[in-house]
Amino acid sequence: MSTTINPLFTKSVGEIAAQLPGAPGVFRQFDISFCCHGDSSLAEAAKRNNHELATVIAALDALDPTAAPEVPQETGALIDHIQIRYHDVHRQQIPDLIELSSKVERVHANKPDVPAGLTEVLNKIQEEMAVHMKEEEEVLFPAMRNSAANRIAVEIGDYRQDHEDTGALLDEIARLTNSYTPPPHACRTWQALYKGAEQFRMDLVEHIHLENNILFPRFEAATAA
């Protein structure tokens, strides 16, 4: 008697997030990284986050695979979406977070649970992402729009590494903010800082997912063919 293998077992979390509408939301629910750790198997990702694999699969199986994609699928339209929804938004988010963080660190410097060093990490993210996004907009994205896959293969690997480095900084922000959980005595500025930092994390994770798991593979596959 043969048994049917669930197709989810044969795919990485990045592939699942890219191909199954609604999967990113499920992965966020279980705190499963599908951007910087997109090459992990579903079993590895579930184990890493102490979840039962069967529970995660049940949530994914409940999704409608025929649902409309959540983002544009044509390459040019997807690039436009990334620039407008994420690049432009990040350029507003990060300076606001730096301003809030600087105030919280200064005003509450004597409190033991102040996120000391957060402003420094945010400044580093701002510097690195400014260069990264500018290069994407001026070099990588135009080459993709022109289908010049053979001229961007090396750079794609560099951009993936940038994403890994940014992911490490996001982990540091989560550590400094106690997973974006303000202490009971936190003032409104402190609360706004953590809320904004968590929104930035969610936006950046989705941004990296769209590039790592949907946009980049189109050109990597073309180069390898």
Side-chain angles (χ1 to χ4, degrees):
M1 180 178 179
S2 62
T3 57
T4 301
I5 298 176
N6 191 311
L8 294 175
F9 283 112
T10 66
K11 298 178 179 180
S12 68
V13 292
E15 290 174 323
I16 296 169
Q19 298 169 9
L20 180 59
V26 170
F27 289 147
R28 283 191 290 270
Q29 174 188 343
F30 289 99
D31 198 27
I32 289 176
S33 175
F34 54 94
C35 57
C36 294
H37 296 288
D39 57 348
S40 299
S41 70
L42 194 56
E44 291 170 336
K47 182 178 180 180
R48 186 185 300 123
N49 291 276
N50 299 313
H51 294 302
E52 291 291 334
L53 178 59
T55 303
V56 179
I57 288 178
L60 292 170
D61 281 341
L63 298 173
D64 179 6
T66 65
E70 298 173 335
V71 297
Q73 296 300 293
E74 189 272 325
T75 295
L78 179 58
I79 289 173
D80 289 340
H81 175 75
I82 289 171
Q83 291 188 206
I84 295 170
R85 173 60 182 85
Y86 297 105
H87 284 203
D88 292 350
V89 171
H90 294 330
R91 288 185 173 111
Q92 296 174 353
Q93 289 174 316
I94 303 175
D96 290 345
L97 290 174
I98 289 173
E99 182 178 352
L100 291 171
S101 181
S102 298
K103 182 176 180 180
V104 169
E105 287 194 65
R106 182 179 67 254
V107 174
H108 301 285
N110 62 332
K111 294 190 171 62
D113 43 11
V114 68
L118 178 58
T119 305
E120 181 180 354
V121 176
L122 289 169
N123 274 312
K124 187 172 184 180
I125 282 185
Q126 183 178 48
E127 292 171 5
E128 293 184 357
M129 287 189 63
V131 174
H132 177 88
M133 293 189 295
K134 186 172 187 289
E135 289 182 353
E136 283 189 334
E137 292 168 359
E138 295 183 356
V139 179
L140 184 66
F141 290 165
M144 288 178 166
R145 290 181 190 277
N146 292 330
S147 299
N150 60 320
R151 295 187 304 184
I152 62 176
V154 175
E155 286 88 343
I156 286 180
D158 294 339
Y159 289 112
R160 283 188 180 275
Q161 184 58 54
D162 285 351
H163 290 167
E164 291 286 341
D165 296 342
T166 301
L169 292 175
L170 284 180
D171 290 342
E172 179 64 7
I173 291 175
R175 185 188 70 81
L176 291 171
T177 61
N178 188 27
S179 296
Y180 312 97
T181 306
H185 59 78
C187 65
R188 291 183 179 178
T189 300
W190 201 332
Q191 293 174 26
L193 169 63
Y194 282 18
K195 183 177 181 180
E198 185 172 23
Q199 182 62 55
F200 171 65
R201 179 191 70 83
M202 291 189 294
D203 286 346
L204 187 53
V205 164
E206 182 68 19
H207 172 189
I208 293 175
H209 154 64
L210 292 179
E211 293 187 353
N212 276 6
N213 300 325
I214 299 179
L215 183 62
F216 290 175
R218 295 178 181 181
F219 295 89
E220 290 167 325
T223 302

